[in-house]
Amino acid sequence: MSVKKSGPIHRDKAGVIDPRASDPGKDTHAKSAFVGEGPRSRSERGLMRRLWTACMGGTILTALFAPTLAQTKSSVPPAEKLFTSVEMVGYALVLGILSAAMLSAGWLIRQRGRLEAEGAEMRSALSDANQRISRYQALIADKNRRIVIWDGQNGKPEFLGQLPAETGAPQTDSEFLAFGRWLKPASASELEKAIEALRHSAESFDVIAETHRGEVIEVQGRLSGGRAFARFVALNNLRAELAELKIERNRLRNSIATFESLLDAIEQPVWRRDAEGHLTWVNHAYSEAVEAGSPDQAVREGREILNTLTREKIKAAATPESPFHDVVSTAVRGKRTFFDVVDIREPSGSCGMAVDVSGEEALREELARTLKSHAETLEHLEAPVAIFDRDRRLQFFNQPFQKLWDLEPLFLESRPDHGELLDRLRSARKLPEQLSWKAWKENTLSVYRSLETQTDLWHLPNGQTLRIIASAHPQGGATWVFENVTAQFELESRYNTLLRVRGETIDHLSEGVAVFGPDGRIELSNPAFRALWGITEADSKQGTHIKAIAAACAPSYDGADGWKAFAKMITSFEDERPSSQGTLELYSRLVLDYAVTPLPNAQTMLTFVNKTDSVLAERALKEKNEALRKADELKNDFVQHVSYELRSPLTNIIGFTDLLKTPAIGPLNERQSEYIDHISTSSSVLLTIVNDILDLATVDAGIMRLDYADIDLTDLLDDVSMQMTDRLQESNVSLEIAAAAHLGHIVADQQRLKQILIKILTNAVNFAPEGSAIELKCWREDGDFVFTVHDNGCGMSKDMLATVFNRFSTNGKSGKRSGAGLGLSIVESFVNLHNGTVSIDSEPGRGTTVSCRIPSAIVEPQAIAAAE
């Protein structure tokens, strides 16, 4: 901050600093300038006076000596007289000059001493002035005060002091006068106008300004000594509070005046009452409604717009916490009018407003009737519809909407918010999965901020596809229509897929295909069609007429039953176009089966199949079929022969063998008994083989039927173990059965199931070492009967496992007995008939494990009872 050190600084009556008025040096110079002299000019003028006095003294001396000169002139010769008078005059002048010089030297000596005294006095005064300037600068430099000085209208402003940084005032001089940057707009505008009036019209001002930080500053503007001063003072404590109250008072006065002007301009009646209920102010609309000449007349005469009952109702119902708000009926200008009245009560009184809603009431009734009609219409729609109001709350929904989302009617009738409804549907996993739920939800609800209809597709987790049509209402709210387009999308997808599949299929068919329109022009064809007829793709491009194609195909076949007949059928105008089939033998010895098939839209499809190779294949198939037929007859004959020719002798042999064992025939010696046992055993084995062959033949012929019954698995296992007793004792092998105490029942063929178990156990006994044990484990899994048979025999290699279920596949070298190799084959056939599975796990040296799973058949109880 720069301050001109021109003398002490004083304040004028208004408190504004006036450096000019408090500078004695400036006052002295100004006075000297006015008179036209100074200290130095007075000394020079004194010297001039001394010289003038000396000259006058010489003159006076000359005058004094003149008589003497005259007397001398008479007694001296003329020449001498003349010389004597001239000398006397010179002597007089010299003497006068010397006298003046002496006098001037003495005066100069006195004047120098006096000037030195005045200089010392002025230096002392300057020192005192500098001290006062320092004190005033320290006072001005208070951080709560800043002064701006303008010298003239166009002078550069000078700044003194600083405002606290807490006020938000800039600390630099260049930014301080930009009031709009750190003062509130109203304060900045008022202060700029006041400073402008001060500098141009010399109008003083006192302004209270507010900064953007909410601080209060007092600004005083004064004019002194031709300079404009603006003092900015940061207020605090009581002065700041007082200034804030003053600002608030002015603001409230302006607000009240503004609101009264606004209320006076509106068309709705507005009034204010005192604590006793008397009118204190009304607007023009109120005075017009009560037919008063002016608002003052309405207040003075106490004209009421509401009847006494309504006023008492308002007085009893209105409280400071709960204003009165209701639609009341009253008479205005002789007409019954409905007013929407709002009355607010305060301790000092109340104020109210009445809005004429007569037209709105009529519209509301009409709207209610319209909405009811629309609701009845929407209820009969199959499309789900939901209407939300301007607050995004559910206003209406129809039954299809409730069924679509499977929501409780009580929840929907509670008018939930749309966002709440979406959140609930999302938690129930009924809405499409989204990567950003918040963004998707915000985008979905954006229809309430737009007047354009929005459409979207929702692919629901349950596989449905919905087209969402959201139409916003101009008055707020929106209507949501949900159209189930799942079937449509599926049809479109199927149609598009069908087109692609049709194209790919036709292009990759070995049969030639060509489709013609009703005008006889080809619409599509495949490569096989062109290859069969020996034409190029250009010859059969889309739009080519059938006559051109017939000409291109003429080298291959030009008969009357060929393309000429095709062209006639394709371009015929008959209402019913019959299909046609036939065979063509081309000149190239190709045999083609053709078919003319009418299509929708008056189209016709031609198909050509190359039958040249198929004829040969058909002949070969016929020959093979004949051979198979004869083989099947031989097999059936063999089965019948074995059934009737072998079983009867075997039965006789077994019968007579058993008869010979009886004591009634007579005693047998030891060798005879041994032979009889061998005959019986061999007969039984042979009968088993015959029965197995018959069973396999029956299975292969497809004539075997299972005899389903309800089987007790525990009894079944007991029966099997009893039948295996002799075989186990003969081979010196034990049987260990691991099964639950109660396996329950299963529906299956008891004889075949027993046969499966006996075949597997017999196979295990045949390969089990003597003294070892066979393990039979049985359990139930989800209604299925599962069992495994394990033996500790030699096991089987991978090659043997690959052929173990083949018929007549035997491994007699490792077993105790060699059979026909039909046991496991029969097991597999019977398990498959029960829709079960069988598997073998075996390795050389580790034994063999056979696993079977027999599911329980689903048979009606009546059928089981009938079978029993």
Side-chain angles (χ1 to χ4, degrees), residues 450-480:
S450 174
L451 295 180
E452 299 294 333
T453 300
Q454 297 183 5
T455 59
D456 195 6
L457 290 177
W458 290 2
H459 301 282
L460 305 185
N462 60 3
Q464 291 185 344
T465 301
L466 301 181
R467 176 181 285 113
I468 312 301
I469 303 174
S471 178
H473 302 165
Q475 297 80 15
T479 299
W480 293 73

Side-chain angles (χ1 to χ4, degrees), residues 126 172 667 716:
L126 179 60
T172 59
L716 177 66

Side-chain angles (χ1 to χ4, degrees), residues 643 646-658 683 687:
S643 176
L646 293 181
R647 292 186 67 175
S648 296
L650 282 175
T651 303
N652 294 332
I653 293 172
I654 293 172
F656 284 117
T657 303
D658 292 338
S683 300
L687 182 60

Side-chain angles (χ1 to χ4, degrees), residues 144-249:
N144 293 331
R145 183 182 296 106
R146 191 169 196 182
I147 300 174
V148 184
I149 306 171
W150 291 273
D151 189 1
Q153 293 185 359
N154 300 321
K156 185 177 181 181
E158 181 180 356
F159 298 86
L160 302 175
Q162 288 289 349
L163 289 177
E166 293 80 5
T167 62
Q171 302 299 314
T172 59
D173 298 342
S174 59
E175 298 179 358
F176 185 79
L177 294 180
F179 300 127
R181 296 183 179 179
W182 58 283
L183 292 179
K184 291 186 176 180
S187 299
S189 176
E190 182 181 5
L191 183 58
E192 288 176 354
K193 292 180 181 178
I195 291 176
E196 187 72 16
L198 172 67
R199 296 184 61 188
H200 292 83
S201 304
E203 297 180 5
S204 301
F205 64 86
D206 291 312
V207 174
I208 301 298
E210 285 185 283
T211 67
H212 288 304
R213 297 186 180 182
E215 299 292 335
V216 181
I217 295 177
E218 181 182 13
V219 186
Q220 296 179 349
R222 299 291 185 272
L223 195 68
S224 178
R227 292 185 175 186
F229 298 84
R231 183 177 67 171
F232 296 79
V233 181
L235 303 181
N236 51 24
N237 299 335
L238 294 178
R239 292 185 63 191
E241 293 180 3
L242 183 61
E244 291 177 356
L245 291 176
K246 181 179 179 181
I247 292 174
E248 187 64 22
R249 182 198 63 185

Side-chain angles (χ1 to χ4, degrees), residues 665-819:
I665 301 300
L668 299 176
N669 56 33
E670 183 178 353
R671 183 178 296 273
Q672 290 174 343
S673 298
E674 184 180 353
Y675 290 161
I676 291 298
D677 291 337
H678 285 300
I679 294 172
S680 178
T681 302
S682 299
S683 300
S684 299
V685 171
L686 182 58
L687 182 60
T688 302
I689 294 173
V690 172
N691 289 333
D692 291 344
I693 294 174
L694 290 175
D695 289 339
L696 287 176
T698 305
V699 172
D700 292 342
I703 59 177
M704 176 172 283
R705 296 291 181 265
L706 297 179
D707 186 11
Y708 287 104
D710 190 6
I711 305 171
D712 188 341
L713 294 176
T714 303
D715 294 343
L716 177 66
L717 294 178
D718 293 340
D719 191 7
V720 170
S721 62
M722 290 296 293
Q723 292 190 21
M724 290 296 298
T725 302
D726 295 338
R727 186 70 178 90
L728 293 171
Q729 292 177 355
E730 180 183 351
S731 299
N732 193 17
V733 176
S734 61
L735 176 62
E736 297 178 357
I737 300 178
H742 301 284
L743 287 175
H745 295 255
I746 187 173
V747 177
D749 189 328
Q750 183 173 2
Q751 180 63 29
R752 302 306 177 187
L753 185 57
K754 185 189 300 182
Q755 195 171 353
I756 291 172
L757 286 168
I758 292 175
K759 291 289 185 183
I760 296 176
L761 289 173
T762 302
N763 186 74
V765 170
N766 188 32
F767 290 94
E770 292 186 1
S772 63
I774 299 174
E775 298 178 359
L776 173 60
K777 297 181 180 179
C778 305
W779 66 92
R780 297 290 296 271
E781 284 187 6
D782 300 330
D784 296 347
F785 174 49
V786 184
F787 64 90
T788 62
V789 176
H790 176 73
D791 64 78
N792 297 318
C794 59
M796 291 182 285
S797 63
K798 293 183 179 179
D799 295 338
M800 294 175 61
L801 286 175
T803 61
V804 69
F805 290 111
N806 293 343
R807 300 174 184 178
F808 306 106
S809 175
T810 61
N811 188 16
K813 294 181 180 181
S814 58
K816 299 175 183 177
R817 292 184 179 180
S818 59

